[in-house]
Amino acid sequence: MIRDIGGLRDTRNMTLEEIVAMFVYVLAHHKKNRTVAHKFLRSGETVSRHFNQCLLAVLKLHHMLLKTPVPISDDCTDDRWKYFKNCLGALDGTLISVTPPAEQKSRYRTRKSNLATNVLGVCAPDMQFIYVLPGWEGSAHDGRVLRDAISRPNGLKVP
């Protein structure tokens, strides 16, 4: 999918599998650019460039990875969802640890003094993502993040 739809290709010195492996390694283990460069025997510039290319390719897949919501029906038998008739899913925010540049650390400091980014996620009852808004600094209140998601031209649409 990343090759065919996302448009990511092998380069002269790196295979597609290695590019995706570096991307997943950064996301899964929260490693810094320098650590990834050392592990994969690449320069920091190469790691950064390929990470960004892979991220753009994954973002092109959003129409396949994010699902269109279907309301909870009146005859729902699932004990967790039967009380939420016509509900599209569940919305919540989460804080994910980050390492921002030194001049931006105060913006990303949470009320518990951790450095994090605030991510808004909406899931359907079958636990598939309907909407994701990452990138807000950890000091941002959940209401502010939700207001931003609703006010964006291609943002969260609440029927």
Side-chain angles (χ1 to χ4, degrees):
M1 286 173 48
I2 287 178
R3 182 186 320 265
D4 298 336
I5 299 165
L8 191 62
R9 300 277 182 240
D10 296 341
T11 64
R12 185 169 42 120
N13 297 321
M14 287 184 75
T15 64
L16 178 66
E17 289 77 13
E18 186 178 3
I19 295 169
V20 173
M22 284 192 316
F23 179 76
V24 172
Y25 184 75
V26 170
L27 295 180
H29 298 289
H30 187 63
K31 295 296 182 182
K32 294 183 180 180
N33 192 16
R34 178 180 291 181
T35 306
V36 177
H38 179 72
K39 182 162 186 73
F40 286 87
L41 302 174
R42 303 290 179 184
S43 71
E45 188 273 334
T46 300
V47 171
S48 177
R49 182 169 22 92
H50 287 299
F51 179 87
N52 287 309
Q53 288 173 349
C54 192
L55 178 61
L56 290 174
V58 169
L59 289 175
K60 288 180 185 176
L61 301 174
H62 79 277
H63 62 280
M64 298 179 74
L65 300 176
L66 298 178
K67 177 184 169 183
T68 304
V70 177
I72 305 296
S73 63
D74 290 336
D75 58 348
C76 179
T77 57
D78 188 347
D79 289 336
R80 295 171 296 178
W81 292 96
K82 67 182 178 183
Y83 303 106
F84 300 98
K85 307 289 187 238
N86 298 322
C87 180
L88 295 176
L91 174 143
D92 197 11
T94 187
L95 295 173
I96 298 175
S97 297
V98 294
T99 308
E103 64 273 3
Q104 294 183 1
K105 284 191 176 184
S106 62
R107 292 175 46 205
Y108 287 88
R109 195 164 304 281
T110 66
R111 62 186 180 89
K112 294 185 178 181
S113 299
N114 299 328
L115 294 175
T117 183
N118 199 340
V119 178
L120 173 73
V122 180
C123 287
D126 58 358
M127 303 310 282
Q128 293 187 7
F129 282 104
I130 298 169
Y131 183 80
V132 177
L133 177 63
W136 272 90
E137 59 268 10
S139 62
H141 191 273
D142 288 345
R144 184 175 175 200
V145 177
L146 177 59
R147 186 172 42 248
D148 177 55
I150 293 172
S151 66
R152 289 176 179 234
N154 293 326
L156 179 62
K157 302 292 183 226
V158 180

